[in-house]
Amino acid sequence: MLNDPIPWLDLSQNERQILSLIRRRGPLPRAALAHVTGLSPQAITNLTRKLIQNGFLDAGEVVRGKVGQPSTPLSLAPEGALFLGLKLGRRLVELALVDFVGHIKIHRQEIYSHPTPERVLAFARQGLATILDSLAPSARIAGMGIAAPFRLWDWGSEMAGWHDVDLSASLAEGLAFPVFLENDASTACAAELIFGRSVLPRDFVHLYIAHFAGGGVVLDGRLRIGPRRNAGALGSMPIPGGRQLLDAASVSTLEQRLGRSLPPDDSGWQVPTDVEAQWIAEAAHALAFVALSATALLDIPVVVIDGAVPPATRRALADATRTAMEALPAAGIDRPKVIEGSLARSARILGAAALPLAHFFEPGGALA
């Protein structure tokens, strides 16, 4: 939902392209920006001067080499814009303030047995009021993004209250900036695309292991969600045995075997080694099937595995998925490379914040 336009966010496509390149590649001198964009050196000089004056870029120290002219690397200004992200999960709701380079400046969370609209709205409104009151008048908030599972009522009868609830419209009332909403697994994929530390190709599949497994698809450098938002819904993909990926590769499946819930932090992840190993093995077979199926359909060279799990568990899942994929028939196609994601538990909240960032600062004005 969009509120009134914010004048300082009116950037040209060339300005957006410059900011996007620096976001993905790190600090760049003007000569490199001219080479990559194909714009003239004079155009780059004018554009970057404007971006510096408007507070979106910082000029670093002059680098003097043995050959050629000295260069000045340009980097993103952390306070250039701020973004709010709200992540709604099965047992945890989070609210964060994220700066222009993707650092979480403020973070709040609340644990529950299951989310209700009243509880989530109360948490969000109280948190927004506290965060906004703590900021200086000069703080530039571009917008708020919400990462939430779609069709929450499919989770059980206790979730029936979510029918006909427009979360973004409810929260947008009274705010001076726009509010956006997208599926939480899609936003995790978007976060890896925009804020991730991995070097990724323009086409990849992202598998995110949380309470329920989900995923996302990036093609030609853009998140793809489809006209009915079914693209990249990899948690719903059928796997052998008449099940779906989420039946085998979700943390909720592991919790069922344990007979208890796992806390939403790595320090509380206490799982017997044999139980975790069995879950990882079964999850990996399902992940490998989905990854290879996606490759056969979309010619994906890389599959990213991340999740709300400890780094060691994520690493074991990626290793086991590689092994399981080697055992699957793949005549006629190239098996994709399996790598670990880089954002872990912060992926979905960063992905929520990435929704307004993409709208105002990415070329094309949207993640998808």
Side-chain angles (χ1 to χ4, degrees):
M1 172 174 290
L2 294 179
N3 294 339
D4 294 333
I6 304 174
W8 55 270
L9 290 174
D10 186 18
L11 275 67
S12 70
Q13 288 300 308
N14 284 337
E15 290 172 312
R16 291 168 181 246
Q17 185 180 13
I18 289 169
L19 293 174
S20 182
L21 282 169
I22 294 174
R23 185 178 306 283
R24 285 166 171 77
R25 302 190 182 191
L28 292 171
R30 291 180 175 86
L33 289 169
H35 175 74
V36 174
T37 62
L39 298 171
S40 70
Q42 185 60 49
I44 289 293
T45 297
N46 294 336
L47 289 165
T48 54
R49 181 187 298 120
K50 181 181 176 183
L51 289 169
I52 291 172
Q53 291 173 346
N54 289 342
F56 297 118
L57 288 180
D58 285 335
E61 296 290 333
V62 176
V63 177
R64 303 182 185 276
K66 296 181 179 179
V67 179
Q69 296 293 321
S71 63
T72 302
L74 303 177
S75 59
L76 298 177
E79 301 299 318
L82 301 175
F83 313 95
L84 289 157
L86 177 72
K87 191 275 289 182
L88 171 61
R90 181 63 177 83
R91 295 204 179 96
L92 178 72
V93 61
E94 299 176 76
L95 179 67
L97 180 71
V98 179
D99 69 16
F100 202 42
V101 298
H103 293 153
I104 296 176
K105 297 172 65 68
I106 301 175
H107 180 266
R108 298 168 61 90
Q109 68 178 43
E110 183 175 310
I111 300 173
Y112 40 56
S113 59
H114 67 275
T116 64
E118 297 78 15
R119 186 164 187 174
V120 169
L121 285 169
F123 166 83
R125 286 169 177 156
Q126 181 182 19
L128 283 170
T130 300
I131 291 174
L132 295 178
D133 286 346
S134 71
L135 298 177
S138 59
R140 307 200 297 184
I141 297 181
M144 176 178 178
I146 302 172
F150 291 161
R151 302 181 61 88
L152 284 164
W153 47 90
D154 284 346
W155 288 1
S157 59
E158 72 275 12
M159 305 294 287
W162 285 99
H163 271 290
D164 302 321
V165 172
D166 190 334
L167 190 57
S168 59
S170 298
L171 289 175
E173 296 175 3
L175 295 179
F177 43 79
V179 178
F180 306 83
L181 183 144
E182 190 51 76
N183 174 264
D184 60 332
S186 295
T187 64
C189 179
E192 191 68 51
L193 179 66
I194 290 180
F195 295 123
R197 295 178 289 276
S198 303
V199 178
L200 296 169
R202 291 180 62 78
D203 305 321
F204 65 91
V205 158
H206 188 269
L207 292 163
Y208 194 79
I209 312 304
H211 186 82
F212 295 119
V217 174
V218 171
L219 297 174
D220 198 26
R222 295 179 68 84
L223 180 70
R224 304 298 178 176
I225 56 177
R228 293 187 294 177
R229 283 178 154 70
N230 289 326
L234 301 176
S236 300
M237 184 175 284
I239 60 173
R243 300 187 301 164
Q244 294 175 299
L245 176 66
L246 58 83
D247 296 320
S250 298
V251 172
S252 60
T253 304
L254 176 60
E255 291 178 333
Q256 289 173 6
R257 297 179 182 182
L258 293 171
R260 58 181 173 85
S261 299
L262 290 166
D265 60 83
D266 291 349
S267 62
W269 185 277
Q270 297 178 2
V271 180
T273 303
D274 58 334
V275 176
E276 184 177 50
Q278 183 182 9
W279 172 72
I280 287 173
E282 294 179 10
H285 279 90
L287 292 167
F289 182 87
V290 168
L292 203 57
S293 298
T295 301
L297 184 64
L298 300 172
D299 193 18
I300 296 293
V302 167
V303 172
V304 181
I305 294 180
D306 205 351
V309 298
T313 302
R314 179 182 62 195
R315 190 174 309 115
L317 279 166
D319 291 342
T321 300
R322 294 187 198 100
T323 301
M325 194 182 301
E326 288 298 322
L328 292 175
I333 61 173
D334 296 317
R335 290 183 175 87
K337 181 181 180 181
V338 177
I339 66 172
E340 295 177 52
S342 61
L343 299 177
R345 294 185 185 272
S346 65
R348 290 169 294 177
I349 192 70
L350 285 174
L355 295 175
L357 185 156
H359 181 82
F360 290 114
F361 295 101
E362 284 293 300
L367 284 172

